[in-house]
């Protein structure tokens, strides 16, 4: 393979920056494809590219449920409770497999509602008038199986991630008695196995000051951006605006509304620099979720490339 030519600076900027002007966004289309520019090789290389399962309640065995929540609705609510358990410590339970301590977690929910003997006759708050008026995720009791009690202790103890998720409301005489089995799975099969609440990404903002902004204009310039993006420093008695943290910029383009700044500042985004925001539901930390997702993406890319190579080999032999 021929060596890749040096990319000229003007083309490099077109390829790597999305430019934001007051009324238009430029360079939105990617051009890093093979043969786009003469002498520049953009073919994909594996060396350049150098399943996140969780545990969730899958089976609910209802022995008694006299609440107003139907069995199937209650089972659905139970399935969506995030379970604090390291999925790496468990096996996948395939259809037909028996439940064991290696692939299943068992929870029990046995609760009934009663009148509080010391409640005032005119009390209107159900939580003050009744015992167990509300059933929460924290009422689930983990029942260790096999050697699970010794494997998961202290901070690693199996439990719902959040204990105040409302499952049902009861009144005196109503009972919920059931057993839940949590198994390992991935969100591709059902959302209840998703370890992520919200995930998003954006391109890194880039703010280029073409000439110094000093004096009162420096304060006005800083006010055009989110707090922390621009810092006004006084050097030798003169205030100067400096970009200190472009990551915080929301790219509102407010600065381009002012004529005095239009020709001395350029807003852009770095095309190949992504800022990811991953919000975990508490089962796994965000940094671990991201690394797992990258590993999965790499595996899929390798698998696809191998399939394409086999297809090419087969076509050449025909």
């Amino acid at each position: 393979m021929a060596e890749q030519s040096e990319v000229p600076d003007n083309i490099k900027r077109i390829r790597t920056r999305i430019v934001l002007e007051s009324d238009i966004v430029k360079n939105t289309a990617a051009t890093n494809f093979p043969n786009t520019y003469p002498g520049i090789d953009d073919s994909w290389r594996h060396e350049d590219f150098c399943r996140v399962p969780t545990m969730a309640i899958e089976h609910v065995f209802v022995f008694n449920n006299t609440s107003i929540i139907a069995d199937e609705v209650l089972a659905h609510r139970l399935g969506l409770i995030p379970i604090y358990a390291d999925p790496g410590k468990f096996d996948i339970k395939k259809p037909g497999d028996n439940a064991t301590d290696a692939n299943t977690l068992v929870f029990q929910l046995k609760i009934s509602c009663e009148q509080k003997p010391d409640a005032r006759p005119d009390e209107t708050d159900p939580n003050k008038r009744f015992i167990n008026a509300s059933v929460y995720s924290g009422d689930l009791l983990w029942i260790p199986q096999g050697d699970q009690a010794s494997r998961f202790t202290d901070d690693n103890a199996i439990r719902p991630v959040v204990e105040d998720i409302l499952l049902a409301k009861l009144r005196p005489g109503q009972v919920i008695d059931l057993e839940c089995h949590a198994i390992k799975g991935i969100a591709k099969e059902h959302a209840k196995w998703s370890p992520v609440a919200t995930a998003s990404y954006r391109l890194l903002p880039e703010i280029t000051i073409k000439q110094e902004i000093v004096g009162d204009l420096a304060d006005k310039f800083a006010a055009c951006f989110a707090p922390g993006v621009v810092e006004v420093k006084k050097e030798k008695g003169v205030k100067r605006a400096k970009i200190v943290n472009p990551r915080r910029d929301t790219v509102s383009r407010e600065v381009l509304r002012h004529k005095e700044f239009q020709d001395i500042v350029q807003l852009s985004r770095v095309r190949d620099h992504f800022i990811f925001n991953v919000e975990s539901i508490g089962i796994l930390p965000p940094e671990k979720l991201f690394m797992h997702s990258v590993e999965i993406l790499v595996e899929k890319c390798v698998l696809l490339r191998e399939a394409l190579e086999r297809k090419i080999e087969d076509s050449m032999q025909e």
Side-chain angles (χ1 to χ4, degrees):
M1 182 180 293
E3 291 187 4
Q4 180 167 317
S5 302
E6 181 66 25
V7 182
D9 290 341
N10 62 324
I11 294 179
K12 186 182 295 183
R13 184 151 191 91
I14 293 174
R15 287 155 54 92
T16 62
R17 297 295 187 273
I18 296 174
V19 179
L20 295 96
E21 297 185 356
S22 59
D23 57 349
I24 194 172
V25 180
K26 295 182 177 180
N27 301 342
T28 57
T31 60
N32 54 336
F33 299 104
N35 304 319
T36 302
Y37 301 100
I40 299 175
D41 178 20
D42 281 315
S43 57
W44 185 86
R45 300 180 183 86
H46 179 265
E47 56 270 21
D48 292 338
F49 186 79
C50 303
R51 303 163 99 170
V52 185
T54 62
M55 302 294 289
I57 293 173
E58 171 73 351
H59 303 290
V60 178
F61 304 92
V62 180
F63 306 123
N64 191 10
N65 175 23
T66 58
S67 72
I68 63 171
I69 306 296
D71 293 355
E72 58 271 24
V73 177
L74 182 57
H76 177 72
R77 295 173 72 88
L78 288 164
L80 294 177
I81 296 174
I83 303 298
Y84 185 82
D86 186 349
K89 303 289 180 63
F90 295 91
D91 300 330
I92 291 285
K93 185 177 180 292
K94 300 177 182 178
D97 288 352
N98 293 325
T100 68
D101 60 323
N103 61 27
T104 303
L105 291 171
V106 178
F107 293 88
Q108 184 183 73
L109 179 59
K110 192 171 185 178
I111 191 167
S112 61
C113 180
E114 301 175 3
Q115 184 86 30
K116 283 188 177 181
D118 55 347
R120 298 198 319 267
D122 59 344
E123 181 60 65
T124 58
D125 185 348
N127 292 318
K128 295 180 180 179
R129 186 177 179 184
F130 309 124
I131 299 173
N132 297 326
S134 299
V135 182
Y136 296 100
S137 54
D139 294 317
L140 280 170
L141 177 63
W142 172 47
I143 309 297
Q145 306 295 309
D147 64 348
Q148 289 179 351
S150 59
R151 290 168 54 202
F152 304 102
T153 60
D154 302 327
D155 292 340
N156 294 322
I158 307 298
R159 60 190 184 276
V161 172
V162 181
E163 296 188 347
D164 60 354
I165 299 175
L166 182 64
L167 299 177
K169 291 189 175 183
L170 302 178
R171 291 301 178 262
Q174 294 182 336
V175 176
I176 294 179
D177 184 5
L178 53 80
E179 183 175 292
C180 308
H181 288 188
I183 63 174
K184 186 174 177 178
I186 59 174
K188 184 178 180 180
E189 182 176 347
H190 195 284
K192 66 184 178 184
W193 278 299
S194 175
V196 179
T198 304
S200 63
Y201 72 89
R202 59 191 179 98
L203 297 178
L204 175 69
E206 183 181 63
I207 305 165
T208 304
I209 298 178
K210 299 179 180 179
Q211 66 184 58
E212 282 194 333
I213 301 175
V214 298
D216 293 336
L217 277 181
D219 292 322
K220 184 176 181 179
F221 181 77
C224 294
F225 297 89
V229 175
V230 179
E231 184 176 81
V232 178
K233 291 185 178 181
K234 199 167 186 178
E235 300 173 352
K236 297 180 180 180
V238 179
K239 292 189 293 185
R240 288 182 171 82
K242 292 187 176 181
I243 308 299
V244 292
N245 193 353
R247 279 174 170 263
R248 295 189 175 185
D249 184 31
T250 59
V251 197
S252 66
R253 290 188 277 183
E254 167 67 20
V255 67
L256 299 180
R257 294 179 63 247
H258 305 278
K259 292 183 178 180
E260 57 267 46
F261 299 134
Q262 288 182 358
D263 296 329
I264 61 177
V265 64
Q266 184 179 63
L267 304 180
S268 59
R269 289 193 175 192
V270 183
R271 188 184 297 276
D272 58 354
H273 190 139
F274 297 88
I275 301 174
F276 283 86
N277 182 61
V278 179
E279 182 180 342
S280 170
I281 62 175
I283 297 174
L284 296 170
E287 59 272 18
K288 192 171 183 179
L289 289 172
F290 177 74
M291 294 308 298
H292 277 319
S293 64
V294 171
E295 291 170 1
I296 295 169
L297 182 59
V298 171
E299 290 175 4
K300 289 182 177 180
C301 291
V302 172
L303 184 64
L304 178 60
R305 185 173 185 178
E306 290 175 349
L308 290 173
E309 290 175 347
R310 287 195 299 270
K311 186 69 174 178
I312 293 173
E313 292 176 358
D314 293 342
S315 63
M316 293 178 64
Q317 293 174 0
E318 294 178 353

